[in-house]
Amino acid sequence: MSKIKCRFCNSILNDVVGQCGDNDSLFALKCNDCGLVQLSSFSHITKTMYEGQKYADLTWDSRKNEILWNKKRIHLLTKLLPEIKNMNGLDYGCGAGGFLEYGRNELKNLIGYDINPHVCKQNNEFGFDCVNELKEIPFDPEILLLFHVLEHIKHPSELIRDILIIFKRIKKIVIEVPNTQEVLNYVFQCNKYKLTHYSSNHLYYFTYNTLKNIVNTLNLNIIYETGIQRYSLGNTFGWLNDGKRGGQNIYTIFNDKLLNEYYEKVLIDAKLCDSIFIICEYDN
């Protein structure tokens, strides 16, 4: 493998930490200087791959599975930012509209943006406001919501900077990304899970520290830093015992609500949860 430079700090990427399960020609490489994990190549990512009907179909298939995740996001936002009820929000990269469905009742106005026109059309048919062009947004957003978006973007810092230039009233930015130091990958180092964790559509693999580095380049101030555990204890046991997802449907004894709430708390406190959740303040 020829020398590849870190897309963030321009150092040489030497440390191979994984291989993509869906494309064995792609490797996850860690920068020894800034610590950011990224794929060995971004050349397979094109704008058109996210615009087609096939991608829209995959998005819709995942919507029901994300209901609990979106309820957790709403809970965190209304708890940490009670003023959100008086704010206009932009859910950038909204996908199937799961957050739009639950968040529209919690914000003054909420609109989604997605690059896929089929996704936008379906969202609007469901009654969720969604646009395919940023210029079509009918109000000035005051809060930018980025749920599992930055890991797909070739230049995350530039994306946020461009949005802030367009929408000058944005004061809060909410970012949620997968945590590459989650318990299955970092503590247990489950090989079967790693093949799912490292995939060709995720260009970056963030930790709390490397995400903070990205945010700092934009002069954003992190006012809240926490996490979300999207997958249950039963799912974790499924990976450890059987090497596959869906353990919550087999080891149902571990589906107890209080048990999973405590499991999530332990992982969040140790920064081993599967998703990092931060709220930033922008003073322009």
Side-chain angles (χ1 to χ4, degrees), residues 177-182 197 206-208 271 273-276:
V177 293
N179 179 17
T180 197
Q181 288 187 343
E182 63 175 293
H197 181 78
F206 295 103
T207 66
Y208 281 84
K271 296 187 175 181
C273 47
D274 59 46
S275 293
I276 303 166

Side-chain angles (χ1 to χ4, degrees), residues 135-173:
K135 63 184 178 182
E136 295 176 5
I137 295 176
F139 53 76
D140 288 326
E142 295 155 315
I143 183 168
L144 172 64
L145 305 152
L146 296 163
F147 299 121
H148 289 250
V149 171
L150 295 188
E151 67 271 20
H152 297 275
I153 304 298
K154 291 183 179 180
H155 306 290
S157 298
E158 285 83 349
L159 172 72
I160 298 175
R161 186 178 291 114
D162 289 346
I163 294 173
L164 293 176
I165 289 172
I166 296 170
F167 300 110
K168 299 187 183 301
R169 291 189 62 187
I170 291 176
K171 296 297 182 184
K172 299 289 193 301
I173 299 98

Side-chain angles (χ1 to χ4, degrees), residues 115-126:
I115 195 174
N116 190 301
H118 307 287
V119 166
C120 287
K121 180 176 181 293
Q122 190 72 58
N123 277 333
N124 285 307
E125 288 174 356
F126 280 138

Side-chain angles (χ1 to χ4, degrees), residues 59-60 63-64 67 70 89 91 94-105 109-114 117-132 138-139:
T59 301
W60 294 121
R63 183 178 174 187
K64 288 184 178 179
I67 291 175
N70 284 304
D91 183 4
C94 63
F99 183 81
L100 295 177
E101 179 177 7
Y102 295 100
R104 59 184 173 160
N105 296 321
N109 292 293
L110 178 63
I111 196 165
Y113 163 82
D114 201 276
H118 307 287
V119 166
C120 287
K121 180 176 181 293
Q122 190 72 58
N123 277 333
N124 285 307
E125 288 174 356
F126 280 138
F128 314 144
D129 291 336
C130 185
V131 296
N132 191 228
F139 53 76

Side-chain angles (χ1 to χ4, degrees), residues 147-273:
F147 299 121
H148 289 250
V149 171
L150 295 188
E151 67 271 20
H152 297 275
I153 304 298
K154 291 183 179 180
H155 306 290
S157 298
E158 285 83 349
L159 172 72
I160 298 175
R161 186 178 291 114
D162 289 346
I163 294 173
L164 293 176
I165 289 172
I166 296 170
F167 300 110
K168 299 187 183 301
R169 291 189 62 187
I170 291 176
K171 296 297 182 184
K172 299 289 193 301
I173 299 98
V174 179
I175 300 173
E176 182 186 329
V177 293
N179 179 17
T180 197
Q181 288 187 343
E182 63 175 293
V183 67
L184 279 168
N185 193 49
Y186 186 66
V187 176
F188 294 116
Q189 299 191 26
C190 178
N191 290 328
K192 290 285 182 66
Y193 179 75
K194 283 178 178 290
L195 293 175
T196 298
H197 181 78
Y198 299 113
S199 63
S200 60
N201 66 337
H202 284 187
L203 305 181
Y204 294 99
Y205 299 82
F206 295 103
T207 66
Y208 281 84
N209 286 335
T210 58
L211 179 60
K212 195 174 297 183
N213 288 340
I214 299 290
V215 166
N216 287 342
T217 65
L218 298 164
N219 295 318
L220 303 180
N221 179 38
I222 297 177
I223 56 176
Y224 297 107
E225 179 185 86
T226 182
I228 287 177
Q229 179 63 23
R230 294 174 297 158
Y231 295 99
S232 68
L233 180 60
N235 182 73
T236 299
F237 285 149
W239 279 107
L240 295 177
N241 194 60
D242 307 320
K244 60 183 180 181
R245 68 185 69 195
Q248 68 275 12
N249 301 318
I250 300 171
Y251 309 107
T252 56
I253 190 175
F254 299 110
N255 290 344
D256 178 81
K257 184 175 182 290
L258 291 177
L259 177 62
N260 277 280
E261 286 177 354
Y262 188 71
Y263 177 59
E264 179 172 31
K265 180 183 183 304
V266 168
L267 293 183
I268 290 172
D269 289 347
K271 296 187 175 181
L272 295 171
C273 47

